[in-house]
Amino acid sequence: MTDFIRGKTQHKDISEKLEDQEIVSTKRITPKRVKNEDKDKKVNKKQKTSNQLAPIINEEGNGIADSDEDDDNDNDENNKVSAEEEKDRNLFASAYNSLKGKKKAKLVSKIDKLTPSQLKEYMNEPTTQLNKKEEADAKKLLPFLKKNIPKSACRLLKKDLHTGMVVLATFEQVTEMDITISLPFGLKGYVKFNEISDSFTEWMKETLKREDENEKSTNFRKMKIISDQVRKMFYKGQMLKCAIVGLTDHHTIEGLHCTLRAELVNVGSSIDTFSEDMTIHGCIESIQDKGYIVSFGSKDYSGFLEFSNTCYYYPDQTSDDQNQLYIGQPIESLIKSIDKSTKTFKLTISHPLVSRSTIKNSETITMESIKAGMLVETKVLRVLSNGLHLGFLDFFSGDIFILHSQNPIENYKENQGVKARILFVDQVHKRIGLSTLNHVLGFKPYPFGTTKPGQYVESGKLTIERIEPLEMIVTTESTVVQSNPMKAPLLLRGYIHIEELESGVNDLTKASNQFKKTEPLEKRCRVKHLDHLDGMVTYTARTRELEKKFYSYNDLSCGMVVQGVIRYVRADSLEVELATSIHGVVARHHMADTTITDPLEFFKVGATVKVRIINVEPDKKRLQLTLKKSLIYSEYPIITDKNTTPIGTISHGIITKTTRFLVFVSFYNNSFGVVEAQNLSNSKIESVQKQFPVGRTVLAKTLFSESSKSQPGLPLTLVIDDDDFNSQSQSNSNKKSNNNNNNNNNNSNNKKEKKKVENKKVEEEKVEEEEEEEEKEKEKENKEEKKQEQQKEEKKPSTKNKKIETKSKKVNKK
């Protein structure tokens, strides 16, 4: 297993050893299928009752034996049978009878095509009798039947995965070692190059043998040839079917080791389990005169794909041009016709046809042949709190988790028809997961727009949609431009784990003072990862993640001078780490301005060095660096593109190739130029290759040439006069002055704006002071009025008392 794990141990071995077998392993993993005994141990006790349901089924399909002794035994056993087992038995009998009815109808429809001997057998034997295989398939259906409605929708977790399990995945990227794929619910998988297909493994062996014969070939050249070939076979967000092989430690992230080999993806399938208009997973085995031979991992049947049926392979392809396929390339194709005499499928890879292929008939579908990626018509059996429970293909049932529901759960009703695509089939735990997301149904990449890893999302831009104890679902407006501007803007869903929030709580549902549903998230976040299968963005709000200068290869550009740490020293190159998961390579001729014979003595692992970026390819995660001081401290402008470089530009470059009359000089971003012999020097040159060795840094000037437009390289000269330097310095000074003027103008404008802002603030403060004074005066007046009213009130009761006293005196006198 360690030979196929891209982890720390293997990464170290590959760096230390320079053998081809370590770089591109051609060994093969044969995953062990889960035995029925192991499955039974893991299955719930309630599901074990399916193994006990083995009654002798008679020709009428009643599920009860005819002998009296068996009846007595059954009566004795029925007393011990629980209510759950009785339900299973009745359900199994009904499913069994319906299967026999389907078989009878199927035979009757083909009665005209039967031979006399077959017709005689049909008349003598009952048509509803199932053979042993069909009866075994019927029993396997029992745990998947629509009997028990779950309380909540199932979600695929890492602990639920097992060897041989087939799941739907999407292609993410290709590294120099393997393929990274997205699995359902945020899981990540890795596919080694020798697990793409058997045909591609053979192609790799032939390529390595051919490169071994070349003396100038290096290990990096071999890795580059193979990885570039893999990149031609996949596109970003491509839907794939893969099988789980085992767990793997991919650097610091625990992932899953997967395979795309057809023999493991199509395990359990045969020529009888496929019909016309169904999709099938295969790979290109060979190229013929009129098309491609497609292998499905079995010697019993194969496929043929004509060149004319390769049109519209890509989802966004609008032209009817034929597409080129490569040896070992995995494809998802549609069966147009089946020739059972030659056991050959006629195929097409047109994306509109493949994506709309729907399984409507359950006659050919068994528990072994039902696979992830199938598009089925379902009915809603129950609306759950976190998803939907669906029934499809007469006997099967599955769940849609809330994250894979295109519409809100509240919009669905029972018995409503829904089209869904199968995400996974769990044969051990007897569960099926489905999805109704638009990009999954369309079998195409999810449109993320301009969203990229490393982007910042300011506080308040994310809206909380759902809060779970350990995670939070958020939404924001998508950057995808809609064709109809009158429609409501699209929403981009995101996911934040509790550890990425740094909230200081163990349960997000109990932190109502910090997070509330439908309210903005008052935290600054950063895009951590794009999940192409789930169509979601993984965010992080950790402080150390926000403070990272370089988060991904997209943050780097040619010409940048940065610091890094040497991680590996090899005889032909150095590996420098600029940040976490960001590594660059320093080729031997870029290690210094002089020739270094033994890099192992000159450089030490762990040393901090200053480097300059020569070339960066974010999609391929390739980064070329230089340690030459002549390039790091060069004050001349850099050349990155032939079309944008003006004539007369002077820049530093490196000689990468020489011939008898030509010298090739490389610059930044894979741009280069050609110097002819007459432009190398004013003096006589005896030998171009000796006087201009590979790896030397030279100062070159661009020239004008009418033929340069059609040539890929820039015309250069190494003969530079003082006037050229003066003009270069003047242009640079003009640029600096223009920049300074622009900066001064910007500064003056900024000062004016600041003054305006300050004046506004002063005026606002004056207005506020006046309003405060007015309020104070009003308060004083109110206080005086209140005092006067109180005095009047005090006087009034005194006069009343006097009157009362006079009255009392008069009474006394009387």
Side-chain angles (χ1 to χ4, degrees):
M1 219 28 211
T2 55
D3 292 338
F4 305 91
I5 293 173
R6 189 188 175 190
K8 295 181 180 178
T9 56
Q10 190 196 13
H11 192 69
K12 186 177 180 181
D13 294 339
I14 291 171
S15 303
E16 293 176 354
K17 298 179 182 180
L18 298 176
E19 298 178 1
D20 296 335
Q21 292 182 355
E22 293 293 334
I23 293 174
V24 183
S25 177
T26 55
K27 298 178 182 179
R28 179 51 50 84
I29 294 177
T30 304
K32 296 180 179 179
R33 295 284 296 169
V34 180
K35 297 180 181 179
N36 293 329
E37 297 176 359
D38 299 334
K39 291 182 182 180
D40 294 339
K41 292 179 182 179
K42 296 180 181 180
V43 176
N44 197 0
K45 292 181 179 180
K46 293 182 180 180
Q47 295 177 344
K48 287 184 180 180
T49 57
S50 60
N51 297 325
Q52 301 174 1
L53 296 176
I56 301 174
I57 302 174
N58 59 3
E59 295 178 358
E60 285 79 17
N62 294 325
I64 301 174
D66 294 333
S67 62
D68 296 336
E69 294 179 359
D70 293 339
D71 289 339
D72 295 336
N73 294 331
D74 290 341
N75 292 331
D76 294 336
E77 291 178 358
N78 286 338
N79 297 328
K80 300 179 181 179
V81 173
S82 63
E84 185 67 25
E85 291 176 352
E86 187 65 28
K87 288 181 182 178
D88 290 345
R89 179 169 294 181
N90 295 334
L91 186 64
F92 178 75
S94 63
Y96 188 83
N97 292 331
S98 60
L99 279 176
K100 290 195 294 184
K102 283 183 175 293
K103 183 179 180 183
K104 182 178 179 180
K106 186 177 180 181
L107 289 174
V108 170
S109 62
K110 297 182 179 180
I111 195 170
D112 296 334
K113 300 179 181 180
L114 295 178
T115 61
S117 59
Q118 292 175 344
L119 185 60
K120 184 178 179 181
E121 293 177 358
Y122 173 78
M123 297 299 293
N124 294 333
E125 296 183 2
T127 59
T128 58
Q129 185 67 31
L130 298 181
N131 56 34
K132 291 182 179 180
K133 185 180 183 303
E134 291 169 340
E135 187 173 347
D137 292 339
K139 290 180 180 179
K140 288 180 182 179
L141 283 172
L142 182 59
F144 288 88
L145 296 178
K146 301 174 285 187
K147 55 174 183 175
N148 296 324
I149 303 297
K151 295 181 180 179
S152 60
C154 68
R155 176 178 181 176
L156 187 65
L157 302 175
K158 191 178 294 183
K159 63 180 181 179
D160 302 327
L161 298 171
H162 58 84
T163 302
M165 185 177 180
V166 179
V167 297
L168 193 65
T170 53
F171 171 81
E172 278 195 7
Q173 62 184 0
V174 177
T175 63
E176 303 299 333
M177 303 297 297
D178 53 24
I179 300 172
T180 306
I181 57 176
S182 292
L183 301 177
F185 303 105
L187 299 176
K188 187 175 288 188
Y190 304 94
V191 180
K192 298 294 292 182
F193 291 158
N194 62 325
E195 291 294 328
I196 295 175
S197 64
D198 295 336
S199 302
F200 188 73
T201 303
E202 294 297 327
W203 179 88
M204 283 197 300
K205 291 179 180 179
E206 294 176 0
T207 303
L208 292 176
K209 288 181 181 179
R210 187 171 57 253
E211 288 297 320
D212 289 337
E213 297 174 357
N214 186 4
E215 296 178 355
K216 297 182 179 180
S217 179
T218 60
N219 295 318
F220 283 101
R221 173 182 168 82
K222 297 172 186 176
M223 294 168 62
K224 186 176 183 300
I225 291 173
I226 294 174
S227 60
D228 288 344
Q229 183 70 11
V230 174
R231 289 185 179 92
K232 296 177 183 178
M233 300 191 298
F234 301 95
Y235 57 88
K236 194 84 168 180
Q238 180 181 356
M239 293 282 178
L240 302 168
K241 293 178 183 177
C242 70
I244 305 297
V245 177
L247 291 174
T248 174
D249 185 11
H250 191 278
H251 290 293
T252 57
I253 303 173
E254 186 181 9
L256 293 163
H257 182 62
C258 305
T259 180
L260 301 178
R261 291 160 55 196
E263 60 180 308
L264 297 180
V265 175
N266 296 330
V267 66
S269 301
S270 63
I271 191 171
D272 297 328
T273 57
F274 294 102
S275 61
E276 295 181 1
D277 297 331
M278 285 182 64
T279 59
I280 184 171
H281 174 82
C283 70
I284 303 298
E285 186 176 12
S286 62
I287 302 175
Q288 303 299 323
D289 295 336
K290 296 184 179 181
Y292 303 92
I293 301 295
V294 182
S295 173
F296 304 120
S298 175
K299 296 180 180 179
D300 297 335
Y301 55 98
S302 61
F304 184 74
L305 176 64
E306 295 180 358
F307 291 134
S308 59
N309 290 328
T310 60
C311 305
Y312 307 106
Y313 173 64
Y314 300 98
D316 298 331
Q317 185 175 351
T318 56
S319 63
D320 57 353
D321 297 335
Q322 297 178 5
N323 295 286
Q324 183 181 0
L325 304 179
Y326 303 93
I327 299 294
Q329 180 175 350
I331 58 171
E332 188 71 17
S333 55
L334 179 77
I335 301 174
K336 296 180 68 176
S337 62
I338 300 176
D339 188 353
K340 291 192 176 182
S341 61
T342 59
K343 295 183 179 180
T344 305
F345 298 163
K346 188 177 180 181
L347 307 172
T348 178
I349 57 173
S350 175
H351 184 268
L353 299 177
V354 173
S355 61
R356 295 172 187 173
S357 173
T358 307
I359 308 298
K360 299 180 180 180
N361 193 356
S362 62
E363 292 180 1
T364 58
I365 301 299
T366 62
M367 274 315 305
E368 295 293 334
S369 63
I370 187 170
K371 298 292 181 182
M374 288 183 173
L375 187 65
V376 293
E377 293 180 350
T378 67
K379 280 190 178 182
V380 179
L381 299 180
R382 187 70 56 86
V383 179
L384 307 174
S385 59
N386 63 341
L388 301 172
H389 187 67
L390 308 175
F392 57 97
L393 293 179
D394 297 331
F395 310 110
F396 297 96
S397 63
D399 297 337
I400 294 180
F401 194 71
I402 189 171
L403 297 181
H404 271 270
S405 176
Q406 181 65 32
N407 301 321
I409 300 298
E410 297 78 14
N411 294 355
Y412 293 96
K413 297 179 181 179
E414 292 186 6
N415 296 324
Q416 180 180 346
V418 178
K419 227 173 196 180
R421 194 177 293 277
I422 299 176
L423 287 177
F424 63 90
V425 179
D426 189 353
Q427 299 281 1
V428 173
H429 302 91
K430 308 302 179 186
R431 300 186 307 176
I432 298 177
L434 301 100
S435 175
T436 59
L437 297 178
N438 288 337
H439 71 285
V440 178
L441 294 178
F443 219 65
K444 58 184 179 180
Y446 184 83
F448 282 103
T450 59
T451 305
K452 294 181 180 179
Q455 285 185 349
Y456 289 98
V457 182
E458 300 301 328
S459 176
K461 295 293 184 181
L462 298 176
T463 304
I464 301 174
E465 182 184 276
R466 186 180 178 88
I467 300 176
E468 297 291 338
L470 298 178
E471 62 188 11
M472 182 186 298
I473 307 301
V474 295
T475 58
T476 185
E477 287 190 8
S478 176
T479 56
V480 178
V481 180
Q482 296 190 84
S483 58
N484 187 3
M486 300 301 293
K487 288 184 178 181
L490 299 174
L491 294 179
L492 181 62
R493 279 173 139 184
Y495 164 89
I496 307 177
H497 195 264
I498 187 173
E499 295 179 355
E500 303 292 337
L501 283 170
E502 293 185 349
S503 57
V505 296
N506 297 326
D507 190 345
L508 293 177
T509 56
K510 297 180 181 179
S512 58
N513 56 343
Q514 297 185 40
F515 313 109
K516 293 182 180 180
K517 190 177 178 181
T518 68
E519 290 190 1
L521 178 63
E522 299 299 334
K523 274 183 175 291
R524 194 186 188 211
C525 299
R526 200 171 189 179
V527 178
K528 189 176 182 180
H529 178 254
L530 301 180
D531 195 331
H532 291 269
L533 183 62
D534 297 334
M536 297 185 69
V537 180
T538 303
Y539 295 102
T540 179
R542 288 187 177 184
T543 305
R544 61 183 177 86
E545 298 291 334
L546 297 174
E547 293 176 352
K548 277 185 179 180
K549 185 178 181 181
F550 304 120
Y551 198 83
S552 66
Y553 289 84
N554 294 309
D555 301 329
L556 302 173
S557 60
C558 294
M560 292 179 65
V561 179
V562 295
Q563 284 189 344
V565 180
I566 298 175
R567 293 303 181 194
Y568 297 99
V569 180
R570 305 183 185 91
D572 57 351
S573 63
L574 303 175
E575 185 173 327
V576 181
E577 182 182 14
L578 302 185
T580 305
S581 69
I582 299 178
H583 299 81
V585 176
V586 181
R588 188 166 185 173
H589 60 273
H590 273 287
M591 292 181 181
D593 289 324
T594 58
T595 303
I596 296 177
T597 56
D598 190 1
L600 298 173
E601 295 182 0
F602 195 81
F603 298 99
K604 294 182 179 180
V605 176
T608 303
V609 292
K610 183 182 285 187
V611 294
R612 192 167 192 178
I613 298 174
I614 298 296
N615 184 33
V616 58
E617 298 176 78
D619 296 336
K620 299 180 180 179
K621 289 192 174 182
R622 287 181 181 171
L623 187 63
Q624 297 179 14
L625 308 173
T626 182
L627 286 169
K628 286 180 174 290
K629 293 183 179 180
S630 57
L631 294 180
I632 294 173
Y633 299 102
S634 175
E635 296 181 354
Y636 291 96
I638 63 174
I639 296 175
T640 58
D641 188 7
K642 170 190 172 183
N643 299 323
T644 59
T645 303
I647 299 171
T649 301
I650 301 174
S651 179
H652 275 114
I654 296 177
I655 297 174
T656 53
K657 183 181 178 181
T658 57
T659 62
R660 291 181 61 187
F661 304 104
L662 297 175
V663 173
F664 293 84
V665 181
S666 295
F667 299 100
Y668 298 82
N669 196 25
N670 291 328
S671 58
F672 70 96
V674 181
V675 185
E676 296 180 355
Q678 64 270 18
N679 294 325
L680 290 173
S681 177
N682 291 327
S683 59
K684 186 179 179 181
I685 299 174
E686 295 180 357
S687 176
V688 174
Q689 296 177 347
K690 290 182 179 180
Q691 293 182 354
F692 296 92
V694 174
R696 176 181 291 181
T697 304
V698 294
L699 196 63
K701 186 184 74 170
T702 59
L703 299 175
F704 173 76
S705 176
E706 294 181 355
S707 61
S708 62
K709 295 180 181 180
S710 59
Q711 295 178 356
L714 286 165
L716 302 174
T717 180
L718 302 184
V719 180
I720 306 174
D721 300 331
D722 293 336
D723 296 336
D724 297 327
F725 287 106
N726 293 330
S727 61
Q728 180 80 29
S729 61
Q730 286 180 1
S731 62
N732 291 332
S733 62
N734 291 330
K735 287 181 180 179
K736 288 182 180 179
S737 62
N738 291 329
N739 292 328
N740 292 328
N741 292 329
N742 293 328
N743 292 328
N744 293 328
N745 293 328
N746 293 329
N747 292 328
S748 61
N749 293 328
N750 292 330
K751 288 180 180 179
K752 290 180 181 179
E753 290 179 357
K754 287 182 180 179
K755 286 183 179 180
K756 289 181 180 179
V757 172
E758 290 176 357
N759 293 330
K760 286 183 180 180
K761 287 183 178 179
V762 171
E763 291 177 358
E764 289 177 355
E765 289 177 356
K766 287 182 180 179
V767 172
E768 289 178 355
E769 290 177 357
E770 291 177 356
E771 290 178 353
E772 288 179 356
E773 291 178 356
E774 290 178 358
E775 289 179 355
K776 289 181 181 179
E777 291 178 357
K778 288 181 180 179
E779 287 179 357
K780 288 182 180 180
E781 292 177 357
N782 292 330
K783 287 181 180 179
E784 291 178 355
E785 290 178 356
K786 287 180 180 179
K787 285 182 180 180
Q788 291 177 1
E789 290 177 356
Q790 288 178 357
Q791 290 176 0
K792 288 179 181 180
E793 289 178 355
E794 290 176 355
K795 289 179 180 180
K796 286 180 182 179
S798 62
T799 54
K800 289 180 180 179
N801 292 332
K802 287 181 181 181
K803 290 181 180 179
I804 292 168
E805 289 177 357
T806 52
K807 287 182 180 179
S808 60
K809 286 180 181 180
K810 289 180 181 180
V811 171
N812 291 329
K813 287 180 181 180
K814 288 181 180 180

